[in-house]
Amino acid sequence: AMVTAGTAAVLVLVIIYLGNVLMRPINRISSYIKTVPENGFKGNLTLDGDDEFKKIAQAINEMEQEILHLMENQKKQAKIEKELEFKVLQNQINPHFLYNTLNSIKWMATLQHADTIRDMTAALGRLLQNIAKGAVVKIPIYEEMSLLDDYVLIQDIRYDGKIKVKYHIGNGEITRAYILKFLLQPIVENAVFHGIEPKEGEGMIDLYLTRENEDILIAVEDNGVGMTDEQIRQLFDPDSVEKNHRGLNGIGVLNVHERIQMVYGKRYGLSIASQPGCFTRVTIRIPYEKEG
């Protein structure tokens, strides 16, 4: 009877001890999880010892960091969407008034045989019409190239024939694939303002269109002044975005890169290679899509 009683007492003590040992970290984890909604996803749960509970705490911390990362990405994407919506709304201010005014100028230029003014206003009118429709739709690449031609015409007249663009297309069928509207114009705009405008002599922009497996690569290369690694970094720096907003739509390289990734995913976007005093090449990677 004494042995049985002693064994029972020992078992009770062992159960109480193990209960405390097990329940203490469980209670710590439970209390911590309850404070997460109030304190945020800090990922700072710590437990003493080196057992399975510590591994659980580490897993909880990693999960919190991942949730925080996803929330930050969602906020960032929402901000990009709002900025793009604002740009579209901004460009839609009195579009009919602008278009009708340009139309009047075009007819006046025609009557006065001012062909350059007529061509320039006609091209600008077509661009404004397309901007007013928004930039969130996908169109065939050949239509995007047509919009780019209008932009290049305006810049060529503005710079008195200094700007030339040449297309290099291996297979014409690739131009039927779909692309986000106004994806090329900001890249060419950047080449004009930051590459060709500061240099002496004629500026040449070569556009290469190729297919790589299930992706499309569009390289825009200019023979301008080039960029340093630091200047390239600034193009992708949110704090420097405002410095790069020039031209027709005010959309910088960073906005284009983030817009591509927002629509197509992180494996797509822009990459830049440059050599000061020689060239700059911006490569766009998007998926090959037969339908928008």
Side-chain angles (χ1 to χ4, degrees):
M2 290 178 63
V3 171
T4 301
T7 302
V10 170
L11 287 174
V12 169
L13 290 174
V14 169
I15 291 172
I16 293 173
Y17 172 75
L18 290 177
N20 287 333
V21 170
L22 293 175
M23 291 306 297
R24 189 180 298 114
I26 290 175
N27 289 334
R28 174 80 179 92
I29 292 172
S30 177
S31 298
Y32 177 83
I33 291 175
K34 289 179 181 179
T35 63
V36 168
E38 181 180 349
N39 298 330
F41 297 95
K42 295 182 178 179
N44 58 359
L45 174 60
T46 56
L47 293 177
D48 297 329
D50 189 18
D51 52 19
E52 295 300 322
F53 288 111
K54 187 172 183 178
K55 293 180 180 178
I56 292 174
Q58 291 174 344
I60 291 174
N61 289 336
E62 290 173 1
M63 181 181 66
E64 283 190 83
Q65 292 297 326
E66 183 65 24
I67 292 173
L68 183 62
H69 180 67
L70 290 172
M71 289 173 64
E72 289 176 349
N73 279 345
Q74 281 189 331
K75 290 180 181 178
K76 189 176 180 181
Q77 290 184 356
K79 182 181 178 182
I80 295 170
E81 289 177 353
K82 288 294 182 184
E83 287 178 353
L84 289 173
E85 288 175 4
F86 177 73
K87 289 294 182 184
V88 171
L89 290 174
Q90 199 174 39
N91 288 322
Q92 286 178 334
I93 297 174
N94 295 327
H96 295 295
F97 170 76
L98 290 173
Y99 179 71
N100 290 335
T101 302
L102 286 171
N103 221 18
S104 299
I105 296 173
K106 183 183 75 174
W107 282 111
M108 290 172 63
T110 301
L111 292 173
Q112 297 178 21
H113 304 289
D115 295 340
T116 301
I117 298 176
R118 180 200 63 201
D119 294 341
M120 190 174 188
T121 53
L124 182 56
R126 288 192 294 269
L127 284 172
L128 287 173
Q129 270 192 316
N130 279 279
I131 289 174
K133 294 176 183 176
V136 295
V137 298
K138 298 176 184 178
I139 60 175
I141 292 177
Y142 66 82
E143 289 186 17
E144 174 74 358
M145 292 168 69
S146 178
L147 294 175
L148 183 60
D149 286 339
D150 284 330
Y151 172 76
V152 171
L153 172 64
I154 294 170
Q155 295 302 334
D156 190 44
I157 294 173
R158 175 184 175 186
Y159 289 99
D160 196 23
K162 182 180 178 179
I163 310 296
K164 301 298 178 186
V165 175
K166 187 176 181 180
Y167 296 106
H168 305 268
I169 303 171
N171 185 348
E173 185 64 25
I174 196 173
T175 63
R176 297 183 177 277
Y178 278 75
I179 187 174
L180 287 171
K181 189 163 70 170
F182 285 115
L183 206 61
L184 299 180
Q185 182 264 325
I187 305 303
V188 173
E189 183 174 80
N190 188 74
V192 171
F193 287 136
H194 299 287
I196 294 174
E197 185 180 84
K199 70 166 284 182
E200 296 292 334
E202 185 179 81
M204 190 70 197
I205 299 176
D206 290 285
L207 191 148
Y208 299 88
L209 183 62
T210 58
R211 180 176 176 181
E212 185 181 276
N213 298 323
E214 296 305 313
D215 293 342
I216 289 178
L217 297 180
I218 306 172
V220 179
E221 182 174 328
D222 67 77
N223 65 341
V225 296
M227 291 186 290
T228 63
D229 291 341
E230 175 60 20
Q231 287 173 316
I232 294 175
R233 186 196 66 78
Q234 288 180 355
L235 288 177
F236 291 95
D237 181 6
D239 295 331
S240 302
V241 166
E242 292 300 324
K243 300 177 183 178
N244 299 317
H245 280 183
R246 293 186 59 183
L248 182 68
N249 58 19
I251 297 178
V253 169
L254 175 63
N255 298 65
V256 175
H257 177 68
E258 291 179 331
R259 183 180 166 212
I260 292 173
Q261 293 197 332
M262 185 174 65
V263 175
Y264 297 119
K266 293 296 183 182
R267 70 179 297 262
Y268 299 101
L270 304 182
S271 60
I272 300 178
S274 185
Q275 183 177 336
C278 190
F279 76 94
T280 297
R281 183 190 307 112
V282 179
T283 302
I284 305 169
R285 179 182 290 272
I286 59 173
Y288 179 82
E289 292 183 331
K290 293 183 179 179
E291 297 181 359

